[in-house]
């Protein structure tokens, strides 16, 4: 019950239905086993409720639901070439990027030959994954940049990468 109410409040807050809420009031109500209906009825004391038109509330709420669902339904397949190190790794990847010329075949060959990741045995193929499954810098490229293009070098905690995005469902 408590997790449901907290998730509901966060969703309503993010959608702009409420301006603020007091967690202490929520915790007290949950401890007293207050029903959801009576908890919501007492919300005037616990929340600053914004006055919005139905269409504004509907649009904001639907946007938040859409963003929530997108985190679980958006998937991409990508390949990468990882070279560990500093500037010399970035320079090596810059040279490889010129040689590859956005060709998926050349990318896979270069990954097999030069990548320091176990995925090199698969031509750098990382398989299918969703947002948040890779490091932030990697996700920003895979879920926002163009398909069929070599991106990078991208610096992460693991080293420098070239990334080739094979497909993505938005």
């Amino acid at each position: 019950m408590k997790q449901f109410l907290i998730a509901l409040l966060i969703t309503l807050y993010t959608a702009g239905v409420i301006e603020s809420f007091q967690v202490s009031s929520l915790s007290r109500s949950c401890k007293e086993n207050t029903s959801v209906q009576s908890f919501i009825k007492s919300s005037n004391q616990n929340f600053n409720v914004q006055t919005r038109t139905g269409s504004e509330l509907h649009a904001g709420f639907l946007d938040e639901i859409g963003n929530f669902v997108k985190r679980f339904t958006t998937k991409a397949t990508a390949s990468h070439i990882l070279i560990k190190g500093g500037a010399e790794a970035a320079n090596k990847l810059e040279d490889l990027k010129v040689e590859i010329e956005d060709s998926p075949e050349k990318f896979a060959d270069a990954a097999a030959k030069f990548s320091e990741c176990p995925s090199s045995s698969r031509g750098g193929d990382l398989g299918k994954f969703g947002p948040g499954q890779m490091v932030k810098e990697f996700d920003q490229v895979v879920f926002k940049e163009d398909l069929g293009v070599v991106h990078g070098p991208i610096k992460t905690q693991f080293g420098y990468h070239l990334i080739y995005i094979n497909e993505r469902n938005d």
Side-chain angles (χ1 to χ4, degrees):
M1 170 66 93
K2 186 175 181 179
Q3 289 86 1
F4 169 76
L5 289 175
I6 290 172
L8 175 63
L9 287 174
I10 290 170
T11 302
L12 293 173
Y13 176 77
T14 307
V17 176
I18 57 175
E19 292 178 340
S20 65
F21 58 91
Q22 298 172 347
V23 176
S24 60
S25 298
L26 172 64
S27 297
R28 184 178 61 253
S29 296
C30 290
K31 285 178 187 170
E32 295 168 359
N33 292 320
T34 304
S35 71
V36 174
Q37 289 83 3
S38 62
F39 180 75
I40 291 171
K41 284 179 187 174
S42 70
S43 66
N44 289 338
Q45 299 166 0
N46 300 324
F47 311 114
N48 292 328
V49 179
Q50 287 186 338
T51 304
R52 295 192 175 195
T53 67
S55 61
E56 287 175 329
L57 292 175
H58 184 70
F61 186 71
L62 288 180
D63 286 346
E64 287 306 314
I65 295 295
N67 291 337
F68 181 76
V69 169
K70 190 175 182 178
R71 286 187 16 221
F72 297 101
T73 59
T74 300
K75 300 288 183 205
T77 59
S79 301
H80 80 133
I81 300 170
L82 167 66
I83 298 182
K84 299 174 184 175
E88 68 284 347
N91 292 336
K92 176 64 177 171
L93 288 173
E94 286 287 356
D95 294 341
L96 284 174
K97 186 176 181 178
V98 172
E99 291 175 29
I100 294 168
E101 303 173 333
D102 296 331
S103 164
E105 294 82 15
K106 289 180 182 178
F107 192 95
D109 291 342
K113 193 180 286 186
F114 299 105
S115 184
E116 297 177 36
C117 178
S119 67
S120 65
S121 64
R122 298 181 307 278
D125 183 15
L126 295 169
K128 187 177 276 195
F129 55 92
Q133 290 184 274
M134 302 292 180
V135 293
K136 182 179 177 182
E137 301 88 352
F138 208 91
D139 265 12
Q140 288 175 339
V141 172
V142 172
F143 293 101
K144 293 183 181 174
E145 300 298 332
D146 294 334
L147 301 175
V149 178
V150 177
H151 300 280
I154 308 296
K155 185 179 195 265
T156 71
Q157 66 195 40
F158 302 105
Y160 285 87
H161 308 256
L162 288 182
I163 302 170
Y164 188 89
I165 309 162
N166 299 304
E167 61 182 77
R168 176 180 60 230
N169 68 330
D170 293 318

